[in-house]
Amino acid sequence: LRLIYTTTTVQRKNIGASGPEKYTEEFIKKQIEEFNLGKRHLANMMGEDPETFTQEDIDRAIAYLFPSGLFDKQARPIMKHPTEIFPEQRKIQWGEDGRPFHFLFYTGKQSYYSLMHETYEKFLNVQNYQDQLLAQDLLPQKEKRNLAGSRWLTKIELEEMLLEKLSDDDYSRFIQLLQKLMTLPCGDMEEKYIQKFSREVPAQLQKVVIEPLKYDERGVAFSTGEGKRKTAKATAVVYDNGTGKITVNGIDVLHYFPVLQDREQLLFPFQFLGRVGKHDMICTVSGGGRSAQAGAIRLASAKALKSFVTEKEVEFMRQAGLLTYDPRVRERKKPGQEGARRKFTWKKR
Amino acid sequence: DDKLLTMPLSHPDYFNVKELFSLKDLFDARVHLGHKKGCRHRFMEPYIFGCRLDQDIIDLDQTMEHLQLALNFTAHIAYRRGIILFVSRKRQFCHLVESTARECGEYAHTRYWQGGLLTNAHSHFGTGVRLPDLLIFLSSLNNVFEPHVAIRDAAKMNIPTVGVVDTNCNPCLITYPIPGNDDSPSAMELYCKLFKMTIIRAKDKRKQNEAFEELR
């Protein structure tokens, strides 16, 4: 017997060289069994029926048992089915005799190149059909399709679809080929195929709800809006046929906001719509500081003005940022630093 | 089982590939047309019949012999269930070559050749990959008019090669060169048709022979 001595540096494995962790099928099956058992335990703990315990109940139970104040929703504790957590991975690509299943296996990027092959085949078919029609002079006129409502798949979505890494070049080539296919006169033949690679972009305006105008005893139209900024909450009531008078908490605006900057913030929505002297406003505000209250009233008045104005102008207001809640809050001070970002003075010695 | 594998080797032309093509077919498909005199490669001079108005004409008699040897070899490889990889870097015929490979049940690579695909296969594909047993080059140059990297890599990995060599190509490292035109669509369609027919023929013959052996 001869003992061979090796140093620990040789024995240490290079964990990074083997690539990202690969999940075997047995591992995933075990995870699914554990998940189902855990679901039943959780249902028992919460006093609910294990048979009718849905995913929403699980989410609520986890949020109750493990409350977390972390900002990033994906960093909070989750309990979901393993197929949603572990990303899909490729299985072995060849059979028992060693012959690969896919005919483009040896290129390296088999799904991407097979996709290109299919798309190019459709392109050639459409061109042949077009040539036949051209010979008989039956070319249909191309109607302009509305491109604003749809977008192509992003690179990440395409990678998820193909389960392969793509480079930016590959992605742009594929999109160019799809665009070429779409611009052909007879491209409508392959619409179903193209629709697989396009997603709808719902116009942002559909989410915005515009309330109708209300009328008070005098017959004057008015509308209300609420707004928040930092810790300040404000409600604003905007009346039509006015002279531009603004009252805050029963006090005139000039006395409540002595600083010009705050009054400019209040004026901004009216100035943007060109209705500076046409509306009266009565608002109530509480909490926050001087600037926060001004911002809260601005948001509240902009929301109230939505009812007075056309849809196009509401979209302009949204793009100008008048209708968005400002999420900026004071960042906490961290230990080991003087403030939220400022570090202590660095001393060389 | 041994008889299955050794019987075809005793015949000079077991799969009768000679009947698949004739000199007239090659001429009609413009296989004899080469590039201009200035593009001529030194090692292709034995295969050139002559030069007309500065354009090289390839000797079709030699092409016939080389084509017969090459088709016979591919048929034997396909009979013994080898993996055949069609390689071509001509963008015009990329779709044609891929479709031919798919219809045969073999494999194709008409895209950018990544560095160590054959020589560093375990990194690209994983352990236990089976490398191709034959590479067929339908155009042995890449897009920059240099010899395709796969010729050198196949020679390094002891994989036999069959390749269509035009007058500007280097036929050195290819085991079964076929001097002929690789630029005309008609010539490429002819080659694809011939290879497809030989491979399908060889596979059918294998199935037949296996059935005979089982019946005994």
Side-chain angles (χ1 to χ4, degrees):
Chain A
L1 267 184
R2 245 190 173 184
L3 287 171
I4 303 169
Y5 292 98
T6 47
T7 51
T8 42
T9 40
V10 173
Q11 286 164 1
R12 211 192 307 141
K13 276 189 230 177
N14 189 0
I15 306 168
S18 49
E21 211 181 310
K22 300 213 167 70
Y23 306 114
T24 48
E25 281 201 40
E26 319 153 9
F27 176 79
I28 302 270
K29 270 191 205 156
K30 219 174 69 170
Q31 293 292 316
I32 295 177
E33 280 167 26
E34 283 181 20
F35 171 77
N36 288 327
L37 272 179
K39 205 166 86 164
R40 295 183 75 89
H41 277 303
L42 191 61
N44 277 331
M45 267 194 265
M46 301 299 289
E48 309 238 3
D49 181 18
E51 304 298 327
T52 56
F53 205 55
T54 57
Q55 185 59 45
E56 290 155 1
D57 296 327
I58 298 181
D59 293 332
R60 259 185 281 130
I62 295 289
Y64 171 70
L65 291 170
F66 302 100
S68 158
L70 297 172
F71 284 117
D72 190 1
K73 307 271 189 228
Q74 283 163 327
R76 295 181 185 178
I78 37 168
M79 183 166 160
K80 287 204 159 54
H81 194 82
T83 40
E84 288 169 45
I85 299 183
F86 297 107
E88 262 187 67
Q89 283 189 333
R90 293 265 212 84
K91 299 150 205 163
I92 294 269
Q93 304 287 327
W94 52 85
E96 269 180 23
D97 56 349
R99 289 187 77 112
F101 298 127
H102 201 277
F103 76 107
L104 291 175
F105 169 74
Y106 287 106
T107 55
K109 305 180 208 165
Q110 66 180 47
S111 356
Y112 169 70
Y113 285 133
S114 78
L115 185 69
M116 291 291 275
H117 180 79
E118 260 180 57
T119 321
Y120 191 66
E121 187 155 353
K122 300 238 181 296
F123 183 74
L124 286 177
N125 288 343
V126 170
Q127 272 193 328
N128 285 338
Y129 182 67
Q130 229 181 283
D131 291 336
Q132 283 172 8
L133 288 187
L134 197 66
Q136 298 160 9
D137 292 323
L138 285 172
L139 266 183
Q141 289 303 314
K142 177 80 178 175
E143 294 149 16
K144 283 251 167 178
R145 202 182 296 147
N146 181 21
L147 292 167
S150 61
R151 62 165 175 93
W152 294 116
L153 273 192
T154 54
K155 185 174 158 228
I156 303 172
E157 283 172 355
L158 193 61
E159 277 185 354
E160 274 172 45
M161 212 168 106
L162 300 176
L163 295 176
E164 257 180 9
K165 287 269 169 67
L166 293 178
S167 76
D168 291 326
D169 242 355
D170 295 333
Y171 171 70
S172 55
R173 270 188 190 240
F174 177 61
I175 299 293
Q176 278 167 14
L177 189 56
L178 280 179
Q179 278 167 346
K180 261 176 93 173
L181 181 56
M182 210 166 70
T183 47
L184 287 179
C186 300
D188 298 332
M189 270 168 56
E190 306 296 340
E191 255 209 66
K192 263 193 212 166
Y193 183 74
I194 297 178
Q195 266 169 18
K196 273 194 240 170
F197 303 106
S198 59
R199 296 273 178 272
E200 287 212 358
V201 173
Q204 290 291 331
L205 206 58
Q206 289 164 7
K207 291 185 207 161
V208 173
V209 175
I210 305 177
E211 278 148 43
L213 287 172
K214 286 172 258 186
Y215 293 88
D216 71 352
E217 314 101 12
R218 283 178 294 150
V220 177
F222 73 95
S223 89
T224 37
E226 284 177 3
K228 276 196 272 195
R229 171 92 212 272
K230 277 198 198 170
T231 336
K233 294 194 190 148
T235 42
V237 186
V238 176
Y239 290 91
D240 208 357
N241 298 343
T243 49
K245 218 170 61 161
I246 304 180
T247 314
V248 187
N249 281 358
I251 308 171
D252 190 38
V253 70
L254 283 167
H255 295 292
Y256 197 86
F257 289 119
V259 183
L260 177 65
Q261 176 192 333
D262 304 333
R263 275 174 282 155
E264 272 186 342
Q265 285 286 299
L266 294 204
L267 195 60
F268 183 26
F270 299 99
Q271 184 202 13
F272 184 80
L273 296 168
R275 292 164 178 244
V276 174
K278 297 182 193 161
H279 292 283
D280 266 348
M281 188 159 75
I282 300 181
C283 6
T284 44
V285 67
S286 63
R290 177 200 93 209
S291 190
Q293 286 185 342
I297 302 175
R298 181 183 111 172
L299 182 58
S301 60
K303 283 192 180 170
L305 279 171
K306 273 192 314 195
S307 329
F308 286 95
V309 155
T310 54
E311 277 191 15
K312 241 191 177 178
E313 295 211 305
V314 172
E315 179 64 20
F316 288 150
M317 276 217 288
R318 184 193 71 86
Q319 286 185 357
L322 277 169
L323 299 175
T324 332
Y325 168 65
D326 196 341
R328 294 178 291 175
V329 204
R330 188 173 154 274
E331 202 175 309
R332 76 161 264 206
K333 173 198 175 315
K334 284 112 193 168
Q337 294 175 356
E338 209 179 294
R341 298 285 170 105
R342 162 137 174 90
K343 323 277 187 281
F344 290 122
T345 319
W346 178 68
K347 297 200 179 84
K348 204 165 182 181
R349 301 190 167 76
Chain B
D1 207 22
D2 272 340
K3 209 181 156 195
L4 254 184
L5 297 176
T6 49
M7 194 180 55
L9 295 175
S10 48
H11 300 245
D13 195 5
Y14 187 69
F15 301 96
N16 202 6
V17 286
K18 281 199 198 127
E19 63 173 23
L20 290 173
F21 60 93
S22 67
L23 201 89
K24 186 161 189 322
D25 291 336
L26 293 185
F27 185 81
D28 289 334
R30 312 182 195 188
V31 162
H32 58 289
L33 301 171
H35 287 274
K36 294 280 190 176
K37 196 166 69 177
C39 296
R40 196 193 298 168
H41 193 99
R42 198 187 136 165
F43 297 139
M44 287 301 287
E45 279 161 23
Y47 303 121
I48 292 174
F49 183 70
C51 188
R52 163 90 177 206
L53 293 171
D54 266 6
Q55 190 180 10
D56 288 329
I57 308 295
I58 299 170
D59 189 359
L60 282 183
D61 296 317
Q62 293 188 47
T63 305
M64 289 271 283
E65 294 164 11
H66 283 91
L67 191 54
Q68 195 261 314
L69 288 171
L71 289 177
N72 186 36
F73 186 70
T74 48
H76 279 278
I77 295 267
Y79 180 87
R80 290 162 156 249
R81 296 221 189 93
I83 295 182
I84 301 184
L85 185 62
F86 286 85
V87 179
S88 163
R89 207 49 183 102
K90 282 252 151 78
R91 223 181 113 99
Q92 252 182 315
F93 309 114
C94 147
H95 186 82
L96 174 67
V97 172
E98 285 184 345
S99 326
T100 322
R102 193 180 48 186
E103 281 151 27
C104 291
E106 299 293 341
Y107 308 87
H109 184 110
T110 56
R111 311 284 178 165
Y112 178 72
W113 181 273
Q114 283 169 334
L117 270 186
L118 291 182
T119 41
N120 200 9
H122 292 301
S123 289
H124 280 271
F125 302 117
T127 43
V129 205
R130 193 177 144 187
L131 288 181
D133 299 306
L134 174 66
L135 291 196
I136 301 187
F137 287 91
L138 287 145
S139 149
S140 71
L141 296 182
N142 60 16
N143 286 349
V144 215
F145 298 108
E146 276 168 22
H148 201 294
V149 177
I151 304 176
R152 190 200 67 190
D153 281 355
K156 279 191 189 176
M157 303 299 287
N158 284 345
I159 299 173
T161 351
V162 162
V164 173
V165 276
D166 206 347
T167 45
N168 56 354
C169 306
N170 187 351
C172 283
L173 283 175
I174 304 173
T175 23
Y176 289 91
I178 305 172
N181 190 9
D182 62 2
D183 299 298
S184 304
S186 50
M188 289 300 268
E189 279 169 15
L190 176 75
Y191 297 133
C192 287
K193 192 185 80 172
L194 288 176
F195 281 117
K196 190 163 78 168
M197 279 161 73
T198 36
I199 293 173
I200 292 175
R201 225 184 234 203
K203 288 185 174 172
D204 290 338
K205 199 75 185 226
R206 171 74 182 226
K207 274 195 208 150
Q208 265 179 11
N209 287 0
E210 277 183 340
F212 282 154
E213 287 295 310
E214 265 189 56
L215 281 176
R216 283 206 198 153

